[in-house]
Amino acid sequence: AQSVTQPDIHITVSEGASLELRCNYSYGATPYLFWYVQSPGQGLQLLLKYFSGDTLVQGIKGFEAEFKRSQSSFNLRKPSVHWSDAAEYFCAVVTFSGNTPLVFGKGTRLSVIA
Amino acid sequence: DTAVSQTPKYLVTQMGNDKSIKCEQNLGHDTMYWYKQDSKKFLKIMFSYNNKELIINETVPNRFSPKSPDKAHLNLHINSLELGDSAVYFCASTHGGPQAPGYTFGSGTRLTVV
């Protein structure tokens, strides 16, 4: 069964600094990969997704992620963090079939300091 | 014109009560899900329905009973509520088939059992 690991439970960065959130997946074939963001008390918003093709994926809010098959990773990056980026970030994976549910990592909480 | 809508947004109830959460999607998706997000923010799949038929039922207590009257609706009924049922419940939908999956989440229902 597929699984997702987000090694960092909590990350604190300074406003304006760069950000990288790590995500590793376990799945035999090429998975579909997603990053979602959840602001406090809010629902889940899709930041970006990878299905195939270019391994560098651009998302909303200035985020990007890179799929590295050799490392089974799909890390999320942002060159300059804004205070409004403080939230919980979830990496998720699904198989090819399309009807199977997303499997989520445990999330990384991002705090932004001035 | 909300894509996936859940009601109610907040639900506070006493132990032992029975309650329902409703979910509706207007995206024409054929698969719907219920997820539970616990106090540690972990998102876990509970149920999955495809065209009104149950296809995934994770190890969820029998007190939880999903119902799908049509493929646009997936409701969750919970009997004999317990303190441990306190969580945020998210509904989601997706389109299946060979094309790449897209998942849309509702804004969540925060259930508090007192």
Side-chain angles (χ1 to χ4, degrees):
Chain A
Q2 64 264 39
S3 65
V4 178
T5 302
Q6 293 181 247
D8 305 305
I9 296 173
H10 185 202
I11 284 182
T12 300
V13 299
S14 298
E15 191 169 15
S18 63
L19 170 70
E20 181 169 30
L21 301 181
R22 296 183 291 165
C23 172
N24 293 95
Y25 66 90
S26 172
Y27 183 60
T30 300
Y32 291 164
L33 294 156
F34 304 77
W35 275 100
Y36 284 86
V37 62
Q38 184 180 29
S39 297
Q42 301 298 311
L44 295 161
Q45 182 180 23
L46 178 67
L47 286 175
L48 47 80
K49 55 189 177 185
Y50 172 78
F51 295 150
S52 64
D54 193 347
T55 56
L56 185 62
V57 181
Q58 301 298 320
I60 63 171
K61 303 185 178 186
F63 285 93
E64 66 177 27
E66 186 172 12
F67 171 62
K68 292 186 178 180
R69 184 191 304 274
S70 61
Q71 299 176 18
S72 296
S73 69
F74 188 56
N75 295 348
L76 182 72
R77 299 194 294 249
K78 186 170 185 177
S80 178
V81 168
H82 188 261
W83 65 266
S84 60
D85 293 325
E88 193 86 22
Y89 291 79
F90 294 95
C91 183
V93 65
V94 71
T95 61
F96 184 82
S97 69
N99 280 334
T100 53
L102 287 172
V103 173
F104 285 89
K106 294 193 174 182
T108 297
R109 183 160 63 94
L110 173 66
S111 296
V112 181
I113 58 176
Chain B
D1 55 343
T2 303
V4 179
S5 60
Q6 295 179 228
T7 54
K9 189 171 175 63
Y10 300 97
L11 184 53
V12 181
T13 188
Q14 291 187 325
M15 283 176 53
N17 284 351
D18 303 337
K19 290 294 179 185
S20 291
I21 306 172
K22 296 186 176 182
C23 178
E24 176 181 5
Q25 54 96 1
N26 61 5
L27 299 166
H29 289 172
D30 50 16
T31 304
M32 297 183 72
Y33 309 91
W34 278 111
Y35 282 84
K36 179 180 180 181
Q37 185 175 45
D38 61 24
S39 59
K40 294 185 178 179
K41 301 291 186 183
F42 183 50
L43 283 151
K44 185 173 166 51
I45 184 69
M46 299 174 69
F47 300 103
S48 172
Y49 268 75
N50 179 259
N51 283 321
K52 303 191 299 176
E53 290 194 17
L54 180 66
I55 57 174
I56 290 177
N57 181 352
E58 293 295 322
T59 50
V60 177
N62 290 339
R63 300 180 294 102
F64 289 79
S65 53
K67 283 187 172 54
S68 183
D70 55 62
K71 74 173 192 177
H73 295 83
L74 180 61
N75 304 323
L76 184 64
H77 188 75
I78 315 170
N79 290 324
S80 304
L81 278 155
E82 300 177 357
L83 293 177
D85 298 332
S86 295
V88 181
Y89 293 85
F90 285 99
C91 178
S93 69
T94 187
H95 53 82
Q99 68 271 32
Y103 295 81
T104 304
F105 283 80
S107 57
T109 296
R110 182 175 294 276
L111 171 65
T112 304
V113 182
V114 297

